[in-house]
PDB file of all heavy atoms in Angstrom:
ATOM      1  N   GLY I1522      16.186  -1.352 -15.213  1.00 97.00           N
ATOM      2  CA  GLY I1522      14.951  -1.087 -16.073  1.00 97.00           C
ATOM      3  C   GLY I1522      13.611  -1.567 -15.312  1.00 97.00           C
ATOM      4  O   GLY I1522      12.579  -1.195 -15.786  1.00 97.00           O
ATOM      5  N   ASN I1523      13.720  -2.241 -14.149  1.00 97.00           N
ATOM      6  CA  ASN I1523      12.512  -2.668 -13.440  1.00 97.00           C
ATOM      7  C   ASN I1523      11.699  -1.421 -13.083  1.00 97.00           C
ATOM      8  O   ASN I1523      12.345  -0.393 -12.769  1.00 97.00           O
ATOM      9  CB  ASN I1523      12.788  -3.292 -12.205  1.00 97.00           C
ATOM     10  CG  ASN I1523      13.012  -4.934 -12.348  1.00 97.00           C
ATOM     11  OD1 ASN I1523      14.114  -5.338 -12.098  1.00 97.00           O
ATOM     12  ND2 ASN I1523      11.959  -5.600 -12.803  1.00 97.00           N
ATOM     13  N   LYS I1524      10.347  -1.395 -13.316  1.00 97.00           N
ATOM     14  CA  LYS I1524       9.510  -0.302 -13.158  1.00 97.00           C
ATOM     15  C   LYS I1524       9.164  -0.208 -11.687  1.00 97.00           C
ATOM     16  O   LYS I1524       8.519  -1.170 -11.149  1.00 97.00           O
ATOM     17  CB  LYS I1524       8.283  -0.365 -13.954  1.00 97.00           C
ATOM     18  CG  LYS I1524       8.680  -0.255 -15.488  1.00 97.00           C
ATOM     19  CD  LYS I1524       7.529  -0.501 -16.514  1.00 97.00           C
ATOM     20  CE  LYS I1524       8.037  -0.378 -17.885  1.00 97.00           C
ATOM     21  NZ  LYS I1524       6.934  -0.534 -18.788  1.00 97.00           N
ATOM     22  N   VAL I1525       9.495   0.859 -11.043  1.00 98.00           N
ATOM     23  CA  VAL I1525       9.292   1.087  -9.605  1.00 98.00           C
ATOM     24  C   VAL I1525       8.655   2.461  -9.453  1.00 98.00           C
ATOM     25  O   VAL I1525       8.575   3.264 -10.301  1.00 98.00           O
ATOM     26  CB  VAL I1525      10.515   0.865  -8.769  1.00 98.00           C
ATOM     27  CG1 VAL I1525      11.028  -0.496  -8.854  1.00 98.00           C
ATOM     28  CG2 VAL I1525      11.661   1.970  -9.117  1.00 98.00           C
ATOM     29  N   GLY I1526       8.326   2.829  -8.177  1.00 97.00           N
ATOM     30  CA  GLY I1526       7.818   4.175  -7.885  1.00 97.00           C
ATOM     31  C   GLY I1526       8.372   4.705  -6.593  1.00 97.00           C
ATOM     32  O   GLY I1526       8.653   3.953  -5.632  1.00 97.00           O
ATOM     33  N   HIS I1527       8.636   5.988  -6.672  1.00 97.00           N
ATOM     34  CA  HIS I1527       9.105   6.734  -5.433  1.00 97.00           C
ATOM     35  C   HIS I1527       8.914   8.174  -5.720  1.00 97.00           C
ATOM     36  O   HIS I1527       9.212   8.663  -6.755  1.00 97.00           O
ATOM     37  CB  HIS I1527      10.671   6.499  -5.141  1.00 97.00           C
ATOM     38  CG  HIS I1527      11.178   7.271  -4.073  1.00 97.00           C
ATOM     39  ND1 HIS I1527      11.111   6.947  -2.740  1.00 97.00           N
ATOM     40  CD2 HIS I1527      11.894   8.516  -4.166  1.00 97.00           C
ATOM     41  CE1 HIS I1527      11.663   7.901  -2.080  1.00 97.00           C
ATOM     42  NE2 HIS I1527      12.116   8.860  -2.873  1.00 97.00           N
ATOM     43  N   THR I1528       8.146   8.807  -4.765  1.00 95.00           N
ATOM     44  CA  THR I1528       7.911  10.282  -4.939  1.00 95.00           C
ATOM     45  C   THR I1528       8.842  11.071  -4.119  1.00 95.00           C
ATOM     46  O   THR I1528       8.876  11.013  -2.906  1.00 95.00           O
ATOM     47  CB  THR I1528       6.449  10.552  -4.612  1.00 95.00           C
ATOM     48  OG1 THR I1528       5.612   9.824  -5.424  1.00 95.00           O
ATOM     49  CG2 THR I1528       6.175  12.107  -4.798  1.00 95.00           C
ATOM     50  N   ARG I1529       9.849  11.744  -4.782  1.00 94.00           N
ATOM     51  CA  ARG I1529      10.829  12.426  -4.106  1.00 94.00           C
ATOM     52  C   ARG I1529      10.170  13.558  -3.208  1.00 94.00           C
ATOM     53  O   ARG I1529       9.336  14.239  -3.822  1.00 94.00           O
ATOM     54  CB  ARG I1529      11.800  13.070  -5.169  1.00 94.00           C
ATOM     55  CG  ARG I1529      12.550  12.016  -5.921  1.00 94.00           C
ATOM     56  CD  ARG I1529      13.216  12.585  -7.049  1.00 94.00           C
ATOM     57  NE  ARG I1529      12.183  12.821  -8.134  1.00 94.00           N
ATOM     58  CZ  ARG I1529      12.487  13.264  -9.417  1.00 94.00           C
ATOM     59  NH1 ARG I1529      13.682  13.483  -9.800  1.00 94.00           N
ATOM     60  NH2 ARG I1529      11.423  13.402 -10.228  1.00 94.00           N
ATOM     61  N   GLY I1530      10.580  13.698  -1.943  1.00 93.00           N
ATOM     62  CA  GLY I1530      10.057  14.626  -1.115  1.00 93.00           C
ATOM     63  C   GLY I1530       8.821  14.237  -0.405  1.00 93.00           C
ATOM     64  O   GLY I1530       8.438  14.812   0.498  1.00 93.00           O
ATOM     65  N   ALA I1531       8.237  13.112  -0.801  1.00 94.00           N
ATOM     66  CA  ALA I1531       7.025  12.661  -0.092  1.00 94.00           C
ATOM     67  C   ALA I1531       7.310  11.237   0.525  1.00 94.00           C
ATOM     68  O   ALA I1531       6.726  11.001   1.610  1.00 94.00           O
ATOM     69  CB  ALA I1531       5.820  12.558  -1.114  1.00 94.00           C
ATOM     70  N   HIS I1532       7.923  10.408  -0.096  1.00 95.00           N
ATOM     71  CA  HIS I1532       8.273   9.120   0.433  1.00 95.00           C
ATOM     72  C   HIS I1532       9.661   9.103   1.142  1.00 95.00           C
ATOM     73  O   HIS I1532      10.550   9.765   0.697  1.00 95.00           O
ATOM     74  CB  HIS I1532       8.320   7.997  -0.692  1.00 95.00           C
ATOM     75  CG  HIS I1532       7.023   7.908  -1.411  1.00 95.00           C
ATOM     76  ND1 HIS I1532       6.831   7.387  -2.679  1.00 95.00           N
ATOM     77  CD2 HIS I1532       5.693   8.102  -0.965  1.00 95.00           C
ATOM     78  CE1 HIS I1532       5.601   7.385  -3.047  1.00 95.00           C
ATOM     79  NE2 HIS I1532       4.816   7.779  -1.948  1.00 95.00           N
ATOM     80  N   PRO I1533       9.685   8.457   2.303  1.00 94.00           N
ATOM     81  CA  PRO I1533      11.037   8.515   3.116  1.00 94.00           C
ATOM     82  C   PRO I1533      12.138   7.921   2.485  1.00 94.00           C
ATOM     83  O   PRO I1533      12.098   6.990   1.656  1.00 94.00           O
ATOM     84  CB  PRO I1533      10.581   7.795   4.344  1.00 94.00           C
ATOM     85  CG  PRO I1533       9.424   6.946   3.974  1.00 94.00           C
ATOM     86  CD  PRO I1533       8.745   7.576   2.875  1.00 94.00           C
ATOM     87  N   VAL I1534      13.327   8.584   2.808  1.00 96.00           N
ATOM     88  CA  VAL I1534      14.594   7.971   2.430  1.00 96.00           C
ATOM     89  C   VAL I1534      15.426   8.093   3.735  1.00 96.00           C
ATOM     90  O   VAL I1534      15.526   9.145   4.486  1.00 96.00           O
ATOM     91  CB  VAL I1534      15.398   8.862   1.438  1.00 96.00           C
ATOM     92  CG1 VAL I1534      16.808   8.358   1.205  1.00 96.00           C
ATOM     93  CG2 VAL I1534      14.549   8.990   0.031  1.00 96.00           C
ATOM     94  N   TYR I1535      15.793   6.831   4.204  1.00 96.00           N
ATOM     95  CA  TYR I1535      16.663   6.642   5.473  1.00 96.00           C
ATOM     96  C   TYR I1535      18.038   6.296   5.186  1.00 96.00           C
ATOM     97  O   TYR I1535      18.301   5.254   4.597  1.00 96.00           O
ATOM     98  CB  TYR I1535      15.998   5.706   6.393  1.00 96.00           C
ATOM     99  CG  TYR I1535      14.487   6.045   6.675  1.00 96.00           C
ATOM    100  CD1 TYR I1535      13.426   5.235   6.184  1.00 96.00           C
ATOM    101  CD2 TYR I1535      14.146   7.014   7.477  1.00 96.00           C
ATOM    102  CE1 TYR I1535      12.293   5.332   6.466  1.00 96.00           C
ATOM    103  CE2 TYR I1535      12.891   7.296   7.779  1.00 96.00           C
ATOM    104  CZ  TYR I1535      11.843   6.438   7.339  1.00 96.00           C
ATOM    105  OH  TYR I1535      10.566   6.688   7.560  1.00 96.00           O
ATOM    106  N   ASN I1536      19.040   7.165   5.395  1.00 96.00           N
ATOM    107  CA  ASN I1536      20.361   6.831   5.271  1.00 96.00           C
ATOM    108  C   ASN I1536      20.669   6.290   3.864  1.00 96.00           C
ATOM    109  O   ASN I1536      21.445   5.321   3.599  1.00 96.00           O
ATOM    110  CB  ASN I1536      20.922   5.767   6.253  1.00 96.00           C
ATOM    111  CG  ASN I1536      20.900   6.389   7.627  1.00 96.00           C
ATOM    112  OD1 ASN I1536      21.208   7.631   7.886  1.00 96.00           O
ATOM    113  ND2 ASN I1536      20.634   5.553   8.586  1.00 96.00           N
ATOM    114  N   GLY I1537      20.018   6.861   2.784  1.00 97.00           N
ATOM    115  CA  GLY I1537      20.228   6.431   1.361  1.00 97.00           C
ATOM    116  C   GLY I1537      19.209   5.342   0.995  1.00 97.00           C
ATOM    117  O   GLY I1537      19.341   4.886  -0.172  1.00 97.00           O
ATOM    118  N   TRP I1538      18.414   4.749   1.821  1.00 98.00           N
ATOM    119  CA  TRP I1538      17.505   3.790   1.521  1.00 98.00           C
ATOM    120  C   TRP I1538      16.133   4.272   1.395  1.00 98.00           C
ATOM    121  O   TRP I1538      15.594   4.911   2.193  1.00 98.00           O
ATOM    122  CB  TRP I1538      17.475   2.578   2.623  1.00 98.00           C
ATOM    123  CG  TRP I1538      18.718   1.835   2.577  1.00 98.00           C
ATOM    124  CD1 TRP I1538      19.836   2.107   3.378  1.00 98.00           C
ATOM    125  CD2 TRP I1538      18.954   0.726   1.769  1.00 98.00           C
ATOM    126  NE1 TRP I1538      20.723   1.134   3.071  1.00 98.00           N
ATOM    127  CE2 TRP I1538      20.410   0.247   2.133  1.00 98.00           C
ATOM    128  CE3 TRP I1538      18.278  -0.045   0.888  1.00 98.00           C
ATOM    129  CZ2 TRP I1538      20.927  -0.811   1.556  1.00 98.00           C
ATOM    130  CZ3 TRP I1538      18.923  -1.172   0.297  1.00 98.00           C
ATOM    131  CH2 TRP I1538      20.190  -1.533   0.637  1.00 98.00           C
ATOM    132  N   ALA I1539      15.626   4.261   0.044  1.00 98.00           N
ATOM    133  CA  ALA I1539      14.299   4.968  -0.248  1.00 98.00           C
ATOM    134  C   ALA I1539      13.137   3.990  -0.249  1.00 98.00           C
ATOM    135  O   ALA I1539      13.230   2.813  -0.765  1.00 98.00           O
ATOM    136  CB  ALA I1539      14.510   5.567  -1.619  1.00 98.00           C
ATOM    137  N   ALA I1540      12.056   4.383   0.366  1.00 97.00           N
ATOM    138  CA  ALA I1540      10.837   3.624   0.274  1.00 97.00           C
ATOM    139  C   ALA I1540      10.376   3.632  -1.246  1.00 97.00           C
ATOM    140  O   ALA I1540      10.219   4.667  -1.790  1.00 97.00           O
ATOM    141  CB  ALA I1540       9.726   4.273   1.180  1.00 97.00           C
ATOM    142  N   THR I1541      10.118   2.427  -1.682  1.00 97.00           N
ATOM    143  CA  THR I1541       9.988   2.219  -3.102  1.00 97.00           C
ATOM    144  C   THR I1541       8.839   1.258  -3.331  1.00 97.00           C
ATOM    145  O   THR I1541       8.708   0.229  -2.565  1.00 97.00           O
ATOM    146  CB  THR I1541      11.256   1.723  -3.769  1.00 97.00           C
ATOM    147  OG1 THR I1541      12.314   2.617  -3.423  1.00 97.00           O
ATOM    148  CG2 THR I1541      11.103   1.587  -5.221  1.00 97.00           C
ATOM    149  N   PHE I1542       8.047   1.468  -4.267  1.00 97.00           N
ATOM    150  CA  PHE I1542       7.012   0.564  -4.752  1.00 97.00           C
ATOM    151  C   PHE I1542       7.339  -0.140  -5.950  1.00 97.00           C
ATOM    152  O   PHE I1542       7.811   0.362  -7.004  1.00 97.00           O
ATOM    153  CB  PHE I1542       5.635   1.368  -5.016  1.00 97.00           C
ATOM    154  CG  PHE I1542       4.435   0.476  -5.442  1.00 97.00           C
ATOM    155  CD1 PHE I1542       3.833  -0.149  -4.417  1.00 97.00           C
ATOM    156  CD2 PHE I1542       4.095   0.412  -6.643  1.00 97.00           C
ATOM    157  CE1 PHE I1542       2.700  -0.977  -4.558  1.00 97.00           C
ATOM    158  CE2 PHE I1542       2.935  -0.483  -6.959  1.00 97.00           C
ATOM    159  CZ  PHE I1542       2.253  -1.142  -5.893  1.00 97.00           C
ATOM    160  N   ASP I1543       7.351  -1.493  -5.980  1.00 97.00           N
ATOM    161  CA  ASP I1543       7.646  -2.349  -7.152  1.00 97.00           C
ATOM    162  C   ASP I1543       6.328  -2.495  -7.829  1.00 97.00           C
ATOM    163  O   ASP I1543       5.497  -3.303  -7.537  1.00 97.00           O
ATOM    164  CB  ASP I1543       8.286  -3.661  -6.679  1.00 97.00           C
ATOM    165  CG  ASP I1543       8.599  -4.520  -7.952  1.00 97.00           C
ATOM    166  OD1 ASP I1543       8.327  -4.244  -8.981  1.00 97.00           O
ATOM    167  OD2 ASP I1543       9.171  -5.635  -7.655  1.00 97.00           O
ATOM    168  N   PHE I1544       6.273  -1.920  -9.004  1.00 96.00           N
ATOM    169  CA  PHE I1544       4.933  -1.917  -9.904  1.00 96.00           C
ATOM    170  C   PHE I1544       4.840  -3.389 -10.439  1.00 96.00           C
ATOM    171  O   PHE I1544       3.714  -3.852 -10.665  1.00 96.00           O
ATOM    172  CB  PHE I1544       5.030  -0.956 -11.029  1.00 96.00           C
ATOM    173  CG  PHE I1544       4.633   0.478 -10.519  1.00 96.00           C
ATOM    174  CD1 PHE I1544       5.621   1.442 -10.487  1.00 96.00           C
ATOM    175  CD2 PHE I1544       3.404   0.673 -10.123  1.00 96.00           C
ATOM    176  CE1 PHE I1544       5.400   2.707 -10.086  1.00 96.00           C
ATOM    177  CE2 PHE I1544       3.095   2.077  -9.765  1.00 96.00           C
ATOM    178  CZ  PHE I1544       4.041   2.998  -9.695  1.00 96.00           C
ATOM    179  N   GLY I1545       5.868  -4.190 -10.584  1.00 94.00           N
ATOM    180  CA  GLY I1545       5.806  -5.460 -11.229  1.00 94.00           C
ATOM    181  C   GLY I1545       5.001  -6.421 -10.163  1.00 94.00           C
ATOM    182  O   GLY I1545       4.243  -7.251 -10.624  1.00 94.00           O
ATOM    183  N   LYS I1546       5.417  -6.442  -8.932  1.00 95.00           N
ATOM    184  CA  LYS I1546       4.869  -7.352  -8.042  1.00 95.00           C
ATOM    185  C   LYS I1546       3.774  -6.724  -7.051  1.00 95.00           C
ATOM    186  O   LYS I1546       3.078  -7.289  -6.321  1.00 95.00           O
ATOM    187  CB  LYS I1546       5.954  -7.887  -7.015  1.00 95.00           C
ATOM    188  CG  LYS I1546       6.917  -8.763  -7.772  1.00 95.00           C
ATOM    189  CD  LYS I1546       6.427 -10.047  -8.203  1.00 95.00           C
ATOM    190  CE  LYS I1546       7.397 -10.921  -8.632  1.00 95.00           C
ATOM    191  NZ  LYS I1546       7.081 -12.299  -8.969  1.00 95.00           N
ATOM    192  N   GLY I1547       3.831  -5.238  -7.156  1.00 96.00           N
ATOM    193  CA  GLY I1547       2.782  -4.565  -6.397  1.00 96.00           C
ATOM    194  C   GLY I1547       3.072  -4.439  -4.920  1.00 96.00           C
ATOM    195  O   GLY I1547       2.082  -4.559  -4.049  1.00 96.00           O
ATOM    196  N   ASP I1548       4.353  -4.401  -4.445  1.00 97.00           N
ATOM    197  CA  ASP I1548       4.570  -4.416  -3.021  1.00 97.00           C
ATOM    198  C   ASP I1548       5.630  -3.232  -2.739  1.00 97.00           C
ATOM    199  O   ASP I1548       6.302  -2.720  -3.567  1.00 97.00           O
ATOM    200  CB  ASP I1548       4.994  -5.685  -2.412  1.00 97.00           C
ATOM    201  CG  ASP I1548       6.214  -6.357  -3.227  1.00 97.00           C
ATOM    202  OD1 ASP I1548       6.707  -5.655  -4.245  1.00 97.00           O
ATOM    203  OD2 ASP I1548       6.735  -7.395  -2.809  1.00 97.00           O
ATOM    204  N   TRP I1549       5.616  -2.827  -1.409  1.00 97.00           N
ATOM    205  CA  TRP I1549       6.499  -1.779  -1.038  1.00 97.00           C
ATOM    206  C   TRP I1549       7.778  -2.371  -0.373  1.00 97.00           C
ATOM    207  O   TRP I1549       7.751  -3.456   0.205  1.00 97.00           O
ATOM    208  CB  TRP I1549       5.880  -0.971   0.074  1.00 97.00           C
ATOM    209  CG  TRP I1549       4.885   0.076  -0.407  1.00 97.00           C
ATOM    210  CD1 TRP I1549       3.494  -0.211  -0.575  1.00 97.00           C
ATOM    211  CD2 TRP I1549       5.096   1.360  -0.897  1.00 97.00           C
ATOM    212  NE1 TRP I1549       2.956   0.874  -1.109  1.00 97.00           N
ATOM    213  CE2 TRP I1549       3.879   1.887  -1.271  1.00 97.00           C
ATOM    214  CE3 TRP I1549       6.254   2.163  -0.963  1.00 97.00           C
ATOM    215  CZ2 TRP I1549       3.779   3.193  -1.716  1.00 97.00           C
ATOM    216  CZ3 TRP I1549       6.105   3.472  -1.517  1.00 97.00           C
ATOM    217  CH2 TRP I1549       4.896   3.941  -1.958  1.00 97.00           C
ATOM    218  N   GLY I1550       8.877  -1.662  -0.429  1.00 98.00           N
ATOM    219  CA  GLY I1550      10.106  -1.946   0.186  1.00 98.00           C
ATOM    220  C   GLY I1550      11.110  -0.861   0.161  1.00 98.00           C
ATOM    221  O   GLY I1550      10.752   0.265  -0.086  1.00 98.00           O
ATOM    222  N   TYR I1551      12.371  -1.268   0.323  1.00 98.00           N
ATOM    223  CA  TYR I1551      13.417  -0.243   0.404  1.00 98.00           C
ATOM    224  C   TYR I1551      14.518  -0.611  -0.626  1.00 98.00           C
ATOM    225  O   TYR I1551      14.902  -1.770  -0.641  1.00 98.00           O
ATOM    226  CB  TYR I1551      13.999  -0.069   1.796  1.00 98.00           C
ATOM    227  CG  TYR I1551      13.066   0.532   2.802  1.00 98.00           C
ATOM    228  CD1 TYR I1551      12.198  -0.225   3.439  1.00 98.00           C
ATOM    229  CD2 TYR I1551      13.061   1.860   2.961  1.00 98.00           C
ATOM    230  CE1 TYR I1551      11.291   0.285   4.287  1.00 98.00           C
ATOM    231  CE2 TYR I1551      12.134   2.518   3.866  1.00 98.00           C
ATOM    232  CZ  TYR I1551      11.226   1.690   4.545  1.00 98.00           C
ATOM    233  OH  TYR I1551      10.333   2.263   5.321  1.00 98.00           O
ATOM    234  N   VAL I1552      15.018   0.344  -1.296  1.00 98.00           N
ATOM    235  CA  VAL I1552      16.047   0.136  -2.178  1.00 98.00           C
ATOM    236  C   VAL I1552      17.030   1.391  -2.081  1.00 98.00           C
ATOM    237  O   VAL I1552      16.588   2.413  -1.683  1.00 98.00           O
ATOM    238  CB  VAL I1552      15.503  -0.011  -3.759  1.00 98.00           C
ATOM    239  CG1 VAL I1552      14.999   1.345  -4.292  1.00 98.00           C
ATOM    240  CG2 VAL I1552      16.545  -0.561  -4.652  1.00 98.00           C
ATOM    241  N   ARG I1553      18.258   1.148  -2.543  1.00 98.00           N
ATOM    242  CA  ARG I1553      19.240   2.292  -2.504  1.00 98.00           C
ATOM    243  C   ARG I1553      18.711   3.466  -3.227  1.00 98.00           C
ATOM    244  O   ARG I1553      18.333   3.216  -4.586  1.00 98.00           O
ATOM    245  CB  ARG I1553      20.599   1.915  -2.940  1.00 98.00           C
ATOM    246  CG  ARG I1553      21.316   0.991  -1.971  1.00 98.00           C
ATOM    247  CD  ARG I1553      21.628   1.616  -0.682  1.00 98.00           C
ATOM    248  NE  ARG I1553      22.449   2.857  -0.762  1.00 98.00           N
ATOM    249  CZ  ARG I1553      22.717   3.634   0.188  1.00 98.00           C
ATOM    250  NH1 ARG I1553      22.171   3.445   1.448  1.00 98.00           N
ATOM    251  NH2 ARG I1553      23.408   4.741   0.017  1.00 98.00           N
ATOM    252  N   ASN I1554      18.776   4.692  -2.798  1.00 98.00           N
ATOM    253  CA  ASN I1554      18.223   5.879  -3.528  1.00 98.00           C
ATOM    254  C   ASN I1554      18.920   6.207  -4.885  1.00 98.00           C
ATOM    255  O   ASN I1554      18.281   6.538  -5.862  1.00 98.00           O
ATOM    256  CB  ASN I1554      18.258   7.122  -2.591  1.00 98.00           C
ATOM    257  CG  ASN I1554      17.516   8.289  -3.118  1.00 98.00           C
ATOM    258  OD1 ASN I1554      16.422   8.091  -3.630  1.00 98.00           O
ATOM    259  ND2 ASN I1554      18.026   9.394  -2.977  1.00 98.00           N
ATOM    260  N   GLU I1555      20.228   5.844  -4.896  1.00 98.00           N
ATOM    261  CA  GLU I1555      20.965   6.085  -6.058  1.00 98.00           C
ATOM    262  C   GLU I1555      20.678   5.157  -7.200  1.00 98.00           C
ATOM    263  O   GLU I1555      21.016   5.351  -8.407  1.00 98.00           O
ATOM    264  CB  GLU I1555      22.555   6.165  -5.857  1.00 98.00           C
ATOM    265  CG  GLU I1555      23.046   4.747  -5.385  1.00 98.00           C
ATOM    266  CD  GLU I1555      23.174   4.630  -3.784  1.00 98.00           C
ATOM    267  OE1 GLU I1555      22.474   5.421  -3.141  1.00 98.00           O
ATOM    268  OE2 GLU I1555      23.909   3.743  -3.485  1.00 98.00           O
ATOM    269  N   CYS I1556      19.887   4.128  -6.968  1.00 98.00           N
ATOM    270  CA  CYS I1556      19.478   3.224  -7.944  1.00 98.00           C
ATOM    271  C   CYS I1556      18.159   3.538  -8.590  1.00 98.00           C
ATOM    272  O   CYS I1556      17.581   2.795  -9.386  1.00 98.00           O
ATOM    273  CB  CYS I1556      19.347   1.686  -7.397  1.00 98.00           C
ATOM    274  SG  CYS I1556      21.061   1.116  -7.074  1.00 98.00           S
ATOM    275  N   LEU I1557      17.532   4.643  -8.094  1.00 98.00           N
ATOM    276  CA  LEU I1557      16.267   5.237  -8.701  1.00 98.00           C
ATOM    277  C   LEU I1557      16.583   6.243  -9.713  1.00 98.00           C
ATOM    278  O   LEU I1557      17.432   7.115  -9.374  1.00 98.00           O
ATOM    279  CB  LEU I1557      15.362   5.620  -7.560  1.00 98.00           C
ATOM    280  CG  LEU I1557      15.015   4.582  -6.490  1.00 98.00           C
ATOM    281  CD1 LEU I1557      14.217   5.392  -5.367  1.00 98.00           C
ATOM    282  CD2 LEU I1557      14.093   3.487  -7.204  1.00 98.00           C
ATOM    283  N   GLY I1558      15.891   6.263 -10.748  1.00 97.00           N
ATOM    284  CA  GLY I1558      16.059   7.224 -11.741  1.00 97.00           C
ATOM    285  C   GLY I1558      15.049   7.128 -12.938  1.00 97.00           C
ATOM    286  O   GLY I1558      14.128   6.400 -12.841  1.00 97.00           O
ATOM    287  N   GLY I1559      15.271   7.921 -13.958  1.00 96.00           N
ATOM    288  CA  GLY I1559      14.351   7.799 -15.004  1.00 96.00           C
ATOM    289  C   GLY I1559      12.862   8.191 -14.617  1.00 96.00           C
ATOM    290  O   GLY I1559      11.894   7.552 -15.133  1.00 96.00           O
ATOM    291  N   TYR I1560      12.773   9.136 -13.759  1.00 96.00           N
ATOM    292  CA  TYR I1560      11.491   9.609 -13.214  1.00 96.00           C
ATOM    293  C   TYR I1560      10.611  10.047 -14.360  1.00 96.00           C
ATOM    294  O   TYR I1560      10.925  10.854 -15.236  1.00 96.00           O
ATOM    295  CB  TYR I1560      11.565  10.693 -12.165  1.00 96.00           C
ATOM    296  CG  TYR I1560      12.129  10.092 -10.823  1.00 96.00           C
ATOM    297  CD1 TYR I1560      13.501  10.160 -10.541  1.00 96.00           C
ATOM    298  CD2 TYR I1560      11.310   9.577  -9.865  1.00 96.00           C
ATOM    299  CE1 TYR I1560      13.989   9.639  -9.314  1.00 96.00           C
ATOM    300  CE2 TYR I1560      11.691   9.071  -8.690  1.00 96.00           C
ATOM    301  CZ  TYR I1560      13.037   9.161  -8.449  1.00 96.00           C
ATOM    302  OH  TYR I1560      13.531   8.608  -7.231  1.00 96.00           O
ATOM    303  N   GLY I1561       9.333   9.632 -14.375  1.00 92.00           N
ATOM    304  CA  GLY I1561       8.465  10.042 -15.337  1.00 92.00           C
ATOM    305  C   GLY I1561       8.631   9.472 -16.768  1.00 92.00           C
ATOM    306  O   GLY I1561       8.156   9.916 -17.797  1.00 92.00           O
TER     307      GLY I1561
END
Side-chain angles (χ1 to χ4, degrees):
N1523 274 115
K1524 295 176 180 182
V1525 296
H1527 172 81
T1528 302
R1529 297 166 284 185
H1532 297 153
V1534 177
Y1535 305 108
N1536 296 324
W1538 290 92
T1541 306
F1542 184 76
D1543 180 359
F1544 284 107
K1546 298 285 186 174
D1548 53 359
W1549 283 93
Y1551 291 87
V1552 70
R1553 290 295 303 168
N1554 195 40
E1555 64 266 17
C1556 289
L1557 298 175
Y1560 286 93

